[in-house]
Amino acid sequence: MPGKRLGEQTIVFEHPPTILGAATVVGKKEGEGPLRATFDLRSDDTTFGESTWEKAESRMQREALTRAVDKAGLSLSAIEFVFAGDLLNQCIGTTFGLRDCERPFFGIYGACSTMAEGLALCAMTVDGGYAAHAAALTSSHFCSAERQYRMPLEYGGQRTPTAQWTVTGSGAMVLSSHGAGPYITHACVGKIVDAGIKDVSNMGAAMAPAAHATLSAFFADTGFKPETFDLIVTGDLGALGADLLRDLFAQDQVALGTRYTDCGLLIYDREAQDVHAGGSGCGCGAVVLCGHILEGLRNGTWNRVLFCGTGALLSPVSTAQGESIPSVCHLVALSKTPATA
Amino acid sequence: MPGKRLGEQTIVFEHPPTILGAATVVGKKEGEGPLRATFDLRSDDTTFGESTWEKAESRMQREALTRAVDKAGLSLSAIEFVFAGDLLNQCIGTTFGLRDCERPFFGIYGACSTMAEGLALCAMTVDGGYAAHAAALTSSHFCSAERQYRMPLEYGGQRTPTAQWTVTGSGAMVLSSHGAGPYITHACVGKIVDAGIKDVSNMGAAMAPAAHATLSAFFADTGFKPETFDLIVTGDLGALGADLLRDLFAQDQVALGTRYTDCGLLIYDREAQDVHAGGSGCGCGAVVLCGHILEGLRNGTWNRVLFCGTGALLSPVSTAQGESIPSVCHLVALSKTPATA
C-alpha cells in the first residue's frame, strides 16, 4: 500500500479531502462562553423546541448537518455518505436525527471520539474514491447525558472537582474530493487503552493514556514531532486529563508546550461558568473543531493542526459490574495545504 | 469515480477482498439448532465462564475474533483494523471484548445490521488500499438483550407470537486483499427507513421496509435481478418480516422465490425450539453468515449470495417517548469468483 499507510496506525491520504463546509449548533451555556462568536446557532431553550432532551439532540444533529451542507454550497442529496453517532443508548440522537434525511448512513460509536472517528472514515471514503462528498456528524446534550449516565437532574447531586460538564452541541463537517482546503492529510486510528481508572467522575484521567498512545503512534509512524504542528488539541480531556497528557509526554522527554490545548478548556470560561474540570461529550470536540479551529485554519492563525478525539468506552452497567474505563483516541491531521510530508 | 460507485447507494469493489477466515461462537440453544455443525464453539454455559452476561458477550467477541484470525492463518497483529459493535448500551460487548487486543479499532453501531455494516467498511478499507487485512465482528446475547431492552428474565414475561428470540452468538470475519475467495464484490449502504411501526414486539415488520429499500436500490443501481443470485438472505426479519418483504417485492412485480430466506428462520427449529417468529440480534446474521453461508459458498452450494443486515434503530427511551422504529439495511454481495458484473 505505497503512500497510504505509515507504520501501524497511520493513514496518509493520497488525495487529501477538502473541508468544504462545517456548522455548529449549541445550547445556552456554550453560547455564553468564550467561543460564542464561532457558533452558527445558539439556543436558549434546552429542548430546542422539542418535547424531550433526546429529541432536542436529534434536532441539533439535523440542524448542524443541514447548515453544514448549506455552507458547503451543496444540497443534502449531494452527500453520498453520512458517518454519525452519539452517546445515547443505541445512538438515538443520530438515528432519529437522520431519520428523514434519506442519505446512505454509517452508524458509528466512539463515545467522545466520534467526530474524529467519523472524519477518519469520511476521509478514507472520499480519498478512496467511493464518494465525492461525505459528512461526519455528532452531538451531545448535558441533560440527556446526565440522566442517562449519572443522576436525574432534579436530584441536584454535587459534582466533584474532577468532573466535567457535557457540552450541549452538535457539529457537522462536509468533506469533498475537490476544493481549496483546509485539508485532512492524515488519520491515526486508535487502539483501546485501559489504564485501570475506575472513577467515573474523572474521565480525563481515563482518557489521557489513550491520547498519549495515539499521538505517540502518530509521531512514530510519520516521523513528525509536535513542533510540526501549530496546534495540537484533544477533544475533551479537561484540565486534569490535559495535565496528565503533558506529564505522560514529559516522561518521554517530549514537551508539548503551548501548542497543546483541549477543547474542553476552550469552550467554557472555567472561572465564571462553574464547569469544574471543563467541557466533555461528543459535542465538545465537534463544535470547537467545526467552529473555532476551522476558522483559525481558514484565517491563517494555524497552518497545521492535530485534532485528537478522545472517548471513554464505558457504560453505567460496566461501572456497576466493577469494570475500569477503557478509552480510545482517534486523530486527524488538518492542514491549510494538501502537503502530507 | 469510475468503477467504484453505481447509482446512489452501491459500491463496486475494484479489487474484491477475499474472505480469508471466519469463526462463530454460540450458546446452548443455537448449538441445539439445525445449524449446529457449522459453529466453531458451542457453550452450554450462558455466562461463558464469566460473572455476568455482559462480560460473557465480550468473551464471545474475543473468542470469535481470535478463532477467525487463526482460521485465516494470521496472527492478531496482522489485522490492521477491526470494525465492531453490538446492541448493548455504549457497545460494551465490543469495547471490553477488544480491550486487550491492541488493534486499531473503529466502533460501529448499526443495531442488527452491524455485521453487514462492518463488512462494507472492511471491504472499502481493504479495496481502497488502506489495509491488507481487516476484520468485522459483532455479537448479541439473549440474556443481556432481554434485561436491557425488555424485562428482567426472572419476571418470566409472556412473549407475543410476533416476538423474536435474540441469538446468543458472535461472528467474526477476516477480509484480505489477496486470496482465492470467496469474495465481497459489492456493498449497498442503507438509508434510514421508518414505516411508522411502534410495536417493539414486531421488529420484523419495522425492518422489512428497510430491507426492501436497500435491495431495491441495489437492483436499480446495478441492473441485477434477484435471479442473478443463488441466495438472498436477510439478517433477522423473522417469519413475519420475511413474509412482509416478499409481499413488498410482490407489489413491485418482483418474485424473490425460494432463493430468499432469513437467518432468523435458519438458525432455530421453530417447531421444536419455541422461538416464535425466529431469531434476531446482531449475532443472528453474523453466525449464520460466518458459518452456514460461508460454508455453502466454499463448497459450491451457492455461487453468488446477497447478505442483507437489518437493524432496528430504536431504544427503550425512544419507545417510552412514543416514537416509531426507524430501521436500516446494509447489503454485501458475496461471490465464489471476483467477477463484479
Side-chain angles (χ1 to χ4, degrees):
Chain A
M1 297 159 287
K4 292 207 170 183
R5 278 282 293 284
L6 280 176
E8 199 180 20
Q9 292 175 246
T10 303
I11 290 169
V12 189
F13 296 111
E14 285 186 297
H15 310 286
T18 274
I19 300 166
L20 206 58
T24 52
V25 175
V26 298
K28 183 166 188 284
K29 193 180 192 86
E30 295 71 26
E32 292 168 349
L35 302 185
R36 68 181 72 81
T38 66
F39 301 127
D40 294 291
L41 175 66
R42 300 179 296 266
S43 173
D44 287 349
D45 169 11
T46 56
T47 62
F48 288 76
E50 301 288 337
S51 56
T52 71
W53 293 320
E54 289 76 14
K55 292 181 186 187
E57 202 167 333
S58 294
R59 177 67 171 271
M60 286 198 294
Q61 285 209 14
R62 270 198 303 281
E63 286 284 347
L65 180 62
T66 306
R67 285 164 187 257
V69 170
D70 276 354
K71 289 170 77 178
L74 300 172
S75 64
L76 193 55
S77 61
I79 304 299
E80 286 148 294
F81 298 104
V82 179
F83 293 86
D86 61 86
L87 286 170
L88 296 180
N89 298 344
Q90 289 72 56
C91 298
I92 56 168
T94 298
T95 59
F96 286 85
L98 296 180
R99 174 164 54 171
D100 300 318
C101 86
E102 298 193 354
R103 305 314 310 145
F105 162 65
F106 285 110
I108 57 176
Y109 184 76
C112 305
S113 74
T114 299
M115 195 68 196
E117 180 184 351
L119 285 173
L121 288 168
C122 255
M124 289 163 69
T125 301
V126 171
D127 173 70
Y130 302 109
H133 304 108
L137 171 68
T138 191
S139 65
S140 54
H141 192 300
F142 175 77
C143 303
S144 63
E146 282 299 307
R147 73 169 162 193
Q148 177 183 283
Y149 283 105
R150 298 174 191 98
M151 295 287 183
L153 282 180
E154 295 81 355
Y155 180 76
Q158 287 293 303
R159 304 162 67 81
T160 68
T162 57
Q164 295 169 243
W165 189 278
T166 303
V167 165
T168 298
S170 174
M173 194 172 263
V174 174
L175 301 190
S176 170
S177 56
H178 291 85
Y183 302 90
I184 295 192
T185 58
H186 303 74
C188 185
V189 184
K191 302 175 179 180
I192 298 175
V193 173
D194 190 334
I197 305 289
K198 293 191 174 189
D199 178 359
V200 296
S201 296
N202 194 354
M203 298 286 193
M207 297 189 293
H212 177 249
T214 297
L215 274 162
S216 299
F218 178 71
F219 293 139
D221 287 349
T222 59
F224 291 140
K225 296 191 182 316
E227 301 82 61
T228 311
F229 300 91
D230 306 304
L231 175 68
I232 299 172
V233 60
T234 43
D236 61 341
L237 295 185
L240 210 93
D243 279 351
L244 276 172
L245 182 61
R246 286 180 198 283
D247 288 352
L248 288 167
F249 273 107
Q251 288 173 16
D252 302 336
Q253 320 296 330
V254 173
L256 292 180
T258 55
R259 66 174 53 76
Y260 169 64
T261 189
D262 180 76
C263 297
L265 298 175
L266 296 171
I267 192 165
Y268 299 120
D269 179 337
R270 287 176 59 224
E271 298 290 315
Q273 291 191 288
D274 190 29
V275 293
H276 299 303
S280 67
C282 298
C284 180
V287 302
V288 175
L289 176 70
C290 294
H292 176 65
I293 296 174
L294 181 58
E295 196 173 288
L297 273 163
R298 283 182 169 154
N299 70 20
T301 306
W302 308 296
N303 286 312
R304 299 190 77 165
V305 173
L306 295 183
F307 175 72
C308 313
T310 41
L313 303 172
L314 79 169
S315 84
V317 169
S318 67
T319 302
Q321 294 183 1
E323 281 288 8
S324 53
I325 306 173
S327 297
V328 74
C329 171
H330 300 297
L331 172 161
V332 286
L334 301 94
S335 173
K336 211 170 161 61
T337 76
T340 54
Chain B
M1 297 161 287
K4 292 207 170 182
R5 278 282 293 285
L6 280 176
E8 199 180 21
Q9 293 174 247
T10 303
I11 290 169
V12 189
F13 296 112
E14 286 186 296
H15 311 286
T18 274
I19 300 167
L20 206 58
T24 53
V25 174
V26 298
K28 183 166 187 283
K29 194 180 191 87
E30 295 72 25
E32 292 168 347
L35 302 185
R36 67 181 72 80
T38 67
F39 301 126
D40 294 292
L41 176 65
R42 300 180 296 265
S43 173
D44 286 349
D45 169 11
T46 57
T47 63
F48 288 77
E50 302 287 339
S51 57
T52 71
W53 293 320
E54 289 76 15
K55 292 181 185 187
E57 201 166 334
S58 294
R59 176 68 172 271
M60 285 198 295
Q61 286 210 13
R62 269 198 304 281
E63 286 283 347
L65 180 62
T66 305
R67 285 164 186 257
V69 170
D70 276 354
K71 288 170 77 178
L74 300 172
S75 63
L76 194 54
S77 62
I79 304 299
E80 287 147 293
F81 298 104
V82 178
F83 293 85
D86 60 87
L87 286 170
L88 296 180
N89 298 345
Q90 289 73 53
C91 298
I92 56 168
T94 298
T95 60
F96 286 84
L98 297 180
R99 174 165 54 170
D100 300 319
C101 86
E102 297 193 357
R103 306 314 310 145
F105 162 64
F106 285 110
I108 57 177
Y109 184 76
C112 305
S113 74
T114 299
M115 194 68 196
E117 180 185 350
L119 285 173
L121 288 167
C122 254
M124 288 164 69
T125 301
V126 171
D127 173 69
Y130 301 110
H133 304 107
L137 172 66
T138 191
S139 65
S140 54
H141 192 300
F142 175 77
C143 303
S144 64
E146 282 299 307
R147 73 169 162 195
Q148 177 184 281
Y149 283 106
R150 299 175 190 97
M151 295 287 183
L153 283 180
E154 296 80 355
Y155 180 76
Q158 289 293 305
R159 304 163 68 81
T160 68
T162 57
Q164 295 170 243
W165 189 278
T166 304
V167 164
T168 298
S170 173
M173 194 172 262
V174 174
L175 301 190
S176 171
S177 55
H178 292 84
Y183 301 90
I184 295 192
T185 57
H186 302 74
C188 184
V189 184
K191 302 176 179 178
I192 298 175
V193 173
D194 190 334
I197 305 288
K198 292 191 174 189
D199 179 359
V200 295
S201 295
N202 194 353
M203 297 287 192
M207 297 190 293
H212 177 250
T214 297
L215 273 163
S216 299
F218 178 70
F219 293 139
D221 287 348
T222 58
F224 291 139
K225 295 191 182 316
E227 301 82 59
T228 311
F229 301 92
D230 306 304
L231 175 69
I232 299 173
V233 60
T234 43
D236 62 340
L237 295 186
L240 210 94
D243 278 351
L244 276 172
L245 183 60
R246 286 181 197 283
D247 288 352
L248 288 167
F249 272 107
Q251 288 173 16
D252 302 337
Q253 320 296 329
V254 173
L256 292 179
T258 55
R259 67 174 52 77
Y260 169 65
T261 188
D262 180 76
C263 297
L265 298 175
L266 295 170
I267 193 165
Y268 299 121
D269 179 336
R270 288 177 59 224
E271 298 290 314
Q273 291 190 289
D274 190 28
V275 293
H276 298 304
S280 67
C282 299
C284 180
V287 302
V288 175
L289 176 70
C290 294
H292 176 65
I293 296 174
L294 181 57
E295 197 172 287
L297 274 163
R298 284 182 168 153
N299 70 21
T301 306
W302 308 296
N303 286 312
R304 299 190 78 165
V305 173
L306 294 183
F307 174 71
C308 312
T310 41
L313 303 172
L314 80 168
S315 85
V317 170
S318 67
T319 302
Q321 293 182 3
E323 281 288 7
S324 52
I325 305 172
S327 298
V328 74
C329 171
H330 300 297
L331 171 160
V332 286
L334 300 94
S335 173
K336 210 169 162 62
T337 76
T340 54

